[in-house]
Amino acid sequence: MAQASAAQGDTANYRWWGRDLFAFLLRRKGGKRLTLADVITYLFLILGTVVMFFPVLWLVMSSFKPITTLYQTPPTFFPYHPVTAQVPGYPEPLPLVDVRQEDGSLKRMARVGRIIGVEARVIDLEAPSEPPRRVRIENITPVQEIRFDLSNYTNAIDRFPFGVYLRNSVVITLSATALTLLINSMAAYALSKYRFRGRNTIFLLILSALMVPLSVIMIPVFLVISRVGLAGNLLGVIIPPAATPTGVFLLRQYMLTIPDELIEAARIDGATEWRIYWRIVMPLAAPALAVLAIFSFMWRWNDFLWPLIVLGGRSDLATLQLGLQSFQGELNVQWDSLLAMTVLSLLPVVFVFGILQKYITTGIASTGLKG
Amino acid sequence: MEITTSRRLTFSLARGVQQLLSLPLMGALYLLDAVIGSIERLIGHKRMPYLFVLPNMAIFAIFILLPLLLNFFFAFTGGTSIIPENRPWVGLGNFERLFACQDITNVSTCREDVFFFAVRNTFLFVIVEVPSMVVLAMLIALALNRDIRLRGFFRSAFFFPVLLSPVVVALVWKWMLQTRGGLINTLLGFFGIAPIEFVLDGNWMMFWSIFVSVWAQVGFYALILLAGLQGIPPVLYEAAEIDGASELQRFWKVTLPMLRPTLLVVLVLSLIRGVQMFDHVYVLTGGGPGTATVLTVQYIYRTAFEPPNNWGMAAAVSLMLAAVLAMLTVIQLILNRRQTEAL
């Protein structure tokens, strides 16, 4: 009797905790009660989050799967690897299987040789010297374990010139970003802090460049690039895209807020114009420069059409994106290595976003800059 | 005691390495400083702004303005050489060839039937993609604008694909769509549907191209709309509430009219991007199966950069695409001006 009431108390307690947890998770910020609209909002957002995250998570999980379970239907979420054991008398480790015995019980054994038709050959682990027994394949299940194995990654690095792609991507991204920051800020400084003949024309020209997408000028661009000797050259991917109109615009708007008095004071003290730019305006524009640096990094790292046109089929100059594209376009796609390379190529972006997401989202919301 | 000494040692070591590494950089900067300083003495203060805008403008002139003009030259010349001297003048020949059809009602009889397929595919793509994008972005923005928990997390969740490269996005979904071991087919299997060979079905691949493009970009537009929603003065909602307007009425009478300028910008922006769609679809489908998902920009790329390198015809298509984009841009500019006037 006492026991029963204690149990009842437990369930009541449990129910109370459950309700509390539920209320905590779903309570609105103001502490008001949850309405139907709130429930629908949460369902919509949770469903959306799953649709956005799961494909990438699936890719990452798949990249740890061995080729033997990669194409398995139905696939598993976690990366399963076959468990093997060293058996005396056999040079290679043998895959372990659970074999259904005649009495219905399972016995762990090792499989030898190939599966022929519907039969496999297994040996007893306790008596490895005995000749293998034949069993029907529906009576065996391979023994598997979850393991985050890096062999796809090491294979990808061995089998493909991953290092070359990575080097090219890093060189392009870093030098193009440095160049973007330098020349965009120089132009922005001139356009925001000087009055000179032709200033408005130049500003309009830069803004109109925003409206000329590469897709409509790619043929003459290729001609110009090859004429100045930049086709099949990393400089051809670094220099032309560095003069981003978005960057000039963003920095100019920011530099307009720097008080002119500072610049005047420096000028009276005898500073050269270059010194003023380099020593006064640049440090003050640091927040805007940081935002542009993040964006330039993303643009250049993810670029596809421009390197494709400029670098053509030169595999020794290809960036990570071009390398991925060329391997996925092959007749016999080696998904095990390709998945690992894809994960490696998205790591830097995820890393940067993870640290700087606040700046990125506010930067986009306030300026609408992308690509 | 010992710990602090070793720590201090490591610290000074790290600083030494840092200084050593930054030495060449600092040297380069001092050199630049000296060079530009002497140029400034040479040309005088008054001309310095021209020097400041020079690098950026030179790159613009060479790699954007010059190609813009050269595009016309390419469109009206023929041959397979990219060198201008070797290209004969053909007048409207490239356009005539593009529109050479035996029977105007049947695209398959046209000489360049792939061009018409590409235009039709692009049209289909844009007609479905843009409205889905705007509606979904609007729903996401509205949900994120509500007084909810974990708002920052949800915002990042919708936004992060924007930062992934098109190649990675396409590979993520190509892997999802595999017939053997693909997740989509596995999910269909739960409902008793037999696996579908998506890659072999043109209609399916068009659907997935649109889906992937929306998946990758919707967060960007949602963010712009969210900023627009947050710009609506709360006073308007308070006034509507006092007047007894229901939540639905408040949406139709306050939110939508106030958000209209932002919505129009998003609409035109996604139109401009949709018409130019290339990389996501190119990596996902390669234009296939057959020509089912060849879009205009891919047609330009194929015609120009794959043998027999018909630069002229590709440039002719570029010109027509540029005209469409220019039209859309003018619309956007008008809308933008109206938006700034309204504020």
Side-chain angles (χ1 to χ4, degrees), chain A residues 256-285:
Chain A
L256 284 176
T257 64
I258 297 175
D260 288 337
E261 288 79 13
L262 276 174
I263 294 164
E264 277 309 315
R267 208 166 273 152
I268 290 163
D269 286 346
T272 61
E273 303 300 308
W274 172 259
R275 266 291 151 76
I276 295 172
Y277 156 74
W278 190 245
R279 294 276 173 194
I280 296 171
V281 176
M282 281 296 261
L284 286 175

Side-chain angles (χ1 to χ4, degrees), chain B residues 257-268:
Chain B
M258 289 302 286
L259 202 62
R260 218 186 65 151
T262 322
L263 259 176
L264 283 172
V265 168
V266 164
L267 182 76
V268 179

Side-chain angles (χ1 to χ4, degrees), chain A residues 27 216 273 302 321 328 357, chain B residues 40 71 149 156 165 174:
Chain A
R27 190 179 50 200
V216 301
E273 303 300 308
N302 291 341
Q321 313 299 335
Q328 74 92 24
Q357 53 160 310
Chain B
E40 187 171 340
N71 219 3
R149 275 161 191 282
S156 304
S165 84
K174 210 171 178 171

Side-chain angles (χ1 to χ4, degrees), chain A residues 57-130:
Chain A
L57 194 61
W58 180 253
L59 179 93
V60 174
M61 282 297 175
S62 300
S63 75
F64 294 108
K65 291 178 187 170
I67 191 91
T68 45
T69 58
L70 196 58
Y71 296 108
Q72 167 187 316
T73 41
T76 54
F77 178 69
F78 288 107
Y80 280 96
H81 289 255
V83 178
T84 56
Q86 198 73 51
V87 182
Y90 293 89
E92 298 281 314
L94 297 176
L96 294 181
V97 287
D98 284 329
V99 181
R100 190 177 299 281
Q101 306 292 304
E102 269 135 33
D103 60 354
S105 67
L106 290 177
K107 187 173 186 196
R108 187 149 295 187
M109 299 174 97
R111 194 167 60 73
V112 268
R114 289 160 163 237
I115 294 174
I116 303 156
V118 291
E119 281 191 336
R121 290 180 302 151
V122 290
I123 51 167
D124 203 327
L125 290 171
E126 283 133 28
S129 50
E130 276 179 30

Side-chain angles (χ1 to χ4, degrees), chain A residues 161-218:
Chain A
F162 182 81
V164 178
Y165 300 152
L166 182 68
R167 189 200 62 202
N168 292 336
S169 275
V170 169
V171 167
I172 290 171
T173 305
L174 291 185
S175 41
T177 299
L179 192 62
T180 297
L181 291 181
L182 180 70
I183 64 175
N184 279 5
S185 64
M186 280 166 67
Y189 173 51
L191 292 173
S192 61
K193 290 297 169 202
Y194 291 95
R195 305 181 132 281
F196 56 97
R197 192 190 285 267
R199 185 181 74 170
N200 291 339
T201 320
I202 289 176
F203 188 55
L204 274 179
L205 267 178
I206 289 178
L207 281 190
S208 62
L210 264 177
M211 293 148 202
V212 185
L214 175 61
S215 51
V216 301
I217 52 168
M218 59 180 153

Side-chain angles (χ1 to χ4, degrees), chain B residues 2 5 45 64 84 97 132 134 144 154 161 175 214 229 243 247 257 274 302 309 340:
Chain B
E2 218 170 277
T5 330
H45 296 303
I64 292 178
R97 190 174 154 189
S132 334
V134 175
L144 290 175
F154 285 126
W175 179 240
V214 172
L229 282 175
D243 289 348
E247 198 155 346
R302 264 168 54 159
N309 301 88
T340 36

